[in-house]
Amino acid sequence: MIFDRFAEGLEALEKTSGRIDLAKGLSNLLLDLSPDETAKALYMVQGQLMPSFAGEPMGMAGSLLLRAIGRALETLKSPLSEADLKERLAATGDPGLLAESLLPSGERPPVSLAEVYDRLLAISRLSGAGSQEDKILHLSRLLADVSPLSARFVGRFVMGRLRLGVGDATILDALVQTEVPASDDGTARKAERKKVREELEGAYNLCSDLGRVGAVLREEGRAGIRKISPMVGYPVRMALCERLGSGEEIVEKIGRAAVESKYDGFRCQIHVDGKVSRLFSRNLEETTAMFPEIARAAVEIFAGRSAIFEGEALGYDAENDSYHPFQVTITRKRKHNVLEKSSEIPLKCLVFDILYLDGVSLMERPFSERRKILEGLFPVRVRGIADRELPPEGVFGASRLIVTEDPHEVDLFFDEVVEEGFEGVIAKRLDGVYAAGSRNFNWIKLKRSYKSALSDTVDLALIGYYRGKGLRTKLGIGAVLGAVYDPGTGEFQSVARIGSGLSEEGWRDLRAILEELRTEGPPAGVVSGLVPDFWVRPTVVVSVLADELTRSPTHRAGRREGEEEGFALRFPRMVSGPRGDKRAEDATTADELRRLYEIQRQRLSGKGGEGG
Ligand code: ATP
């Protein structure tokens, strides 16, 4: 496909709101692409050049783009001074529109989508001395080679400002429609579309790469998708926990279960193949360079074999032969002085699952079987309700667990680990598969904070903010509007206006971030009963604690068809600034909110025990 045609498609998407129409528009665009182009197009509509775990960020500074536009204009013999360019940029505020308005239209040899992608990738990979100038040169050539409309999207893309509102869910829906087109009323072949959606999502959960899923679907159809299996080097989307309020509820729900200490550190998904190992975070970012001792130990322990396994990394306190609290462990999350810090605070990794071994996926095997394999590979230092949990001698050890169907024993184990300073416990279904990318009752967490009326913090995606009043006028922000996510509909649904919890500096920093994300009107997929002073693209996630969850006619969160009221948080306060480890789609979901409400209801009516 010619890039100019692709840019027209992007323009049409930009004018579309609502996930259904976005998916339809995107599927029409995809139908005209080859498999190779499909992957490239899918990365690009998400503002990326590669799947996010590959860490290939484009984000160029505005000043570089401005200079590239200036250079392109010189080549095209209509130069403008730098001051003039800056002035015009200040007037439009959008470097993409600036490029579009200045670059002349007219006949040019066509440039393909694949070529633009390849040239952008080459630009992003330029590094070292003199690379800034090279970037400007190559970008200016690219801008001069494409139509003004294409230049708009290239300009926004390189600055990381392509805001089409196309998330993972929309892409999956669009791919489904390339296989089974939806009828106008959406009813025809609904069951078939649902099946294809599940297959695609399953494949995505295994490789975390929508470009790859799209390319395989276009090339080999559904048969190819069914063949996708876990691969070393491609992070598996992580299994997540549901919550319940007590040992009794847990046993009632899943019967005899493995109950493990819940460690508060960094989740590591470790991939080993021969002499190479790579680590991925909860958010699927590569963390190999941050935790070199874990990467090294993984290669040693597997000695030439291949594996994918998961554990929680904790800072080791050698003086007390114990673990550091999270505030200390987190200081290991750094890009510089890694070696120095690793000798000061070495890490231990408590392994809790194994997904793949020597070319064979273990994800469909029951937990009890995976655990047996895990215990054959990693030392078990302490089991069950013993004295205290001793850290492993080497870097790795198996997580500590008990297997029980006695609610009282779950609660005892919970009390024991909490007393030792851990966060709580995670109960696991003994016959549960590794449920990649999903949150279900295969894993259930029970945390310390569950003693309050509202049992846990919630993670909200911010969808807007309010101008500050009174003492906050000078900060330019007085409150934010937070939303939960509904993966079923792809909606962000408002649940609270939050005006407390941050220091002055914290508010100032938050405003600076949100300002960059402002949109005209509510972004696609945002549903809110309140209208903030400024809408923002859902990107930032904060943790929020509240006194209570109430039913509310104002907020839409968790509202089911036919219901008048959604849910709202009472007296909400932020307990964290922006959480770098979570994307907007990782926010607490609408369904979780309903369950929290249920836990709270039982707690308030005295049912469901103490739960810690
Ligand atoms: P989530 O990851 O579920 O969105 P969160 O980041 O707030 O939410 P929790 O749900 O509180 O985390 O806890 C789940 C996390 O607990 C896992 O992602 C993992 O990092 C950590 N964890 C600690 N111990 C264990 C264990 N024994 N088994 C599984 N996970 C564990």
Side-chain angles (χ1 to χ4, degrees):
M1 178 182 280
I2 303 305
F3 190 79
D4 293 346
R5 157 88 184 81
F6 181 62
E8 284 163 21
L10 295 183
E11 189 186 31
L13 291 180
E14 195 177 43
K15 290 189 184 139
T16 309
S17 59
R19 185 165 132 207
I20 295 176
D21 292 336
L22 266 174
K24 179 121 204 78
L26 182 58
S27 78
N28 289 337
L29 193 59
L30 294 176
L31 282 170
D32 289 336
L33 301 177
S34 69
D36 176 53
E37 286 175 333
T38 302
K40 293 177 175 174
L42 288 179
Y43 298 137
M44 289 190 78
V45 293
Q46 294 203 295
Q48 297 166 188
L49 286 165
M50 287 281 165
S52 359
F53 67 82
E56 196 82 50
M58 186 77 223
M60 251 166 105
S63 56
L64 289 191
L65 174 62
L66 217 53
R67 287 180 59 201
I69 297 174
R71 182 81 68 92
L73 291 173
E74 267 169 41
T75 332
L76 297 166
K77 312 257 178 289
S78 48
L80 272 183
S81 73
E82 204 178 322
D84 204 354
L85 276 171
K86 276 194 182 143
E87 207 169 291
R88 286 170 194 245
L89 177 62
T92 68
D94 178 345
L97 286 180
L98 180 74
E100 180 179 14
S101 67
L102 292 176
L103 291 161
S105 50
E107 286 297 303
R108 302 173 166 78
V111 187
S112 70
L113 160 63
E115 181 181 336
V116 171
Y117 170 91
D118 291 343
R119 285 167 72 175
L120 286 170
L121 188 61
I123 293 171
S124 91
R125 287 183 175 168
L126 288 168
S127 65
S131 62
Q132 296 283 60
E133 287 307 310
D134 285 348
K135 283 187 184 211
I136 293 168
L137 177 68
H138 290 291
L139 183 58
S140 72
R141 288 186 181 152
L142 180 58
L143 289 168
D145 283 349
V146 295
S147 72
L149 180 68
S150 297
R152 181 207 296 179
F153 290 105
V154 168
R156 286 187 187 156
F157 184 84
V158 296
M159 283 191 64
R161 285 218 206 159
L162 198 68
R163 292 173 188 163
L164 300 171
V166 176
D168 295 355
T170 309
I171 291 187
L172 287 167
D173 287 347
L175 287 170
V176 171
Q177 292 197 38
T178 63
E179 279 295 295
V180 191
S183 57
D184 284 345
D185 65 358
T187 52
R189 300 169 79 188
K190 214 169 168 182
E192 196 179 349
R193 279 204 307 281
K194 189 163 170 256
K195 181 90 191 100
V196 180
R197 178 68 155 76
E198 279 166 14
E199 286 172 5
L200 291 173
E201 197 168 333
Y204 176 43
N205 286 337
L206 295 182
C207 68
S208 308
D209 182 348
L210 280 173
R212 185 184 158 84
V213 171
V216 169
L217 181 71
R218 305 293 294 141
E219 181 132 51
E220 301 168 44
R222 288 168 67 185
I225 292 296
R226 291 190 206 110
K227 273 192 261 157
I228 290 184
S229 59
M231 276 168 298
V232 174
Y234 283 76
V236 175
R237 298 185 70 222
M238 312 246 170
L240 303 172
C241 305
E242 272 292 353
R243 349 163 130 82
L244 282 177
S246 67
E248 195 182 327
E249 285 168 29
I250 289 175
V251 172
E252 203 175 294
K253 185 87 194 167
I254 61 172
R256 189 172 168 79
V259 186
E260 306 189 13
S261 310
K262 183 176 191 307
Y263 308 100
D264 196 9
F266 304 118
R267 184 161 181 173
C268 292
Q269 188 179 93
I270 303 161
H271 292 228
V272 206
D273 193 359
K275 293 201 164 88
V276 182
S277 65
R278 293 176 72 182
L279 272 53
F280 296 97
S281 71
R282 151 80 173 82
N283 214 16
L284 309 186
E285 275 157 14
E286 180 155 8
T287 47
T288 316
M290 280 185 200
F291 311 135
E293 67 267 54
I294 296 184
R296 229 180 1 253
V299 169
E300 278 162 20
I301 216 160
F302 281 94
R305 305 172 69 181
S306 64
I308 303 177
F309 63 101
E310 281 188 9
E312 189 85 353
L314 296 176
Y316 175 61
D317 173 1
E319 207 169 301
N320 300 302
D321 192 20
S322 173
Y323 301 112
H324 284 297
F326 185 68
Q327 297 85 299
V328 176
T329 299
I330 199 172
T331 61
R332 281 298 309 270
K333 201 163 186 200
R334 51 170 57 223
K335 293 206 168 107
H336 305 289
N337 299 336
V338 172
L339 285 181
E340 200 180 322
K341 199 75 187 174
S342 70
S343 51
E344 191 188 322
I345 303 166
L347 294 172
K348 299 279 178 185
C349 183
L350 284 310
V351 181
F352 54 74
D353 217 320
I354 179 152
L355 287 65
Y356 172 98
L357 187 63
D358 297 330
V360 178
S361 170
L362 306 176
M363 291 173 51
E364 296 296 321
R365 310 261 181 100
F367 174 83
S368 50
E369 197 180 323
R370 299 200 303 280
R371 176 74 194 190
K372 210 177 278 165
I373 296 173
L374 188 159
E375 289 190 5
L377 292 161
F378 302 97
V380 183
R381 184 108 193 250
V382 196
R383 201 181 278 280
I385 309 175
D387 295 336
R388 74 180 182 94
E389 178 157 349
L390 290 170
E393 278 157 3
V395 170
F396 290 113
S399 59
R400 166 195 192 185
L401 61 66
I402 58 168
V403 175
T404 181
E405 56 201 318
D406 176 357
H408 180 62
E409 208 179 334
V410 177
D411 288 340
L412 268 182
F413 185 55
F414 177 89
D415 289 343
E416 164 80 29
V417 298
V418 165
E419 212 168 291
E420 288 180 36
F422 297 110
E423 248 195 319
V425 296
I426 299 190
K428 301 179 176 177
R429 268 185 95 99
L430 290 173
D431 59 357
V433 299
Y434 184 93
S438 68
R439 189 186 293 286
N440 61 30
F441 287 97
N442 281 3
W443 289 9
I444 305 169
K445 63 182 168 183
L446 181 60
K447 289 202 328 201
R448 224 173 0 195
S449 48
Y450 287 14
K451 270 184 168 165
S452 64
L454 177 61
S455 45
D456 199 358
T457 55
V458 288
D459 295 325
L460 302 184
L462 300 186
I463 55 174
Y465 69 99
Y466 295 84
R467 272 188 203 95
K469 290 190 209 143
L471 289 175
R472 295 252 180 93
T473 314
K474 65 178 189 318
L475 301 178
I477 185 168
V480 289
L481 188 58
V484 292
Y485 180 60
D486 183 342
T489 59
E491 283 173 358
F492 289 95
Q493 305 166 337
S494 74
V495 66
R497 174 179 170 150
I498 313 137
S500 68
L502 293 185
S503 64
E504 233 179 62
E505 200 186 342
W507 280 110
R508 223 177 248 124
D509 293 347
L510 187 59
R511 196 205 68 195
I513 296 169
L514 295 180
E515 230 168 32
E516 282 292 305
L517 300 170
R518 261 156 64 170
T519 57
E520 292 292 330
V526 162
V527 185
S528 171
L530 293 179
V531 178
D533 291 328
F534 307 103
W535 294 102
V536 298
R537 194 160 44 98
T539 308
V540 173
V541 174
V542 296
S543 294
V544 173
L545 198 64
D547 279 7
E548 207 185 329
L549 251 179
T550 55
R551 299 303 310 237
S552 147
T554 310
H555 290 287
R556 308 296 174 84
R559 195 171 65 174
R560 289 208 175 131
E561 230 174 281
E563 285 181 349
E564 297 272 307
E565 298 179 322
F567 291 92
L569 295 178
R570 233 173 130 225
F571 303 123
R573 53 211 174 263
M574 275 183 267
V575 293
S576 81
R579 292 195 46 166
D581 60 336
K582 293 214 165 178
R583 298 178 317 159
E585 286 83 2
D586 297 325
T588 298
T589 64
D591 276 352
E592 278 183 87
L593 205 65
R594 290 189 81 98
R595 276 192 292 281
L596 274 173
Y597 185 70
E598 194 46 37
I599 292 176
Q600 171 188 293
R601 210 175 52 76
Q602 292 191 0
R603 175 124 314 123
L604 293 179
S605 68
K607 209 178 145 236
E610 272 295 286

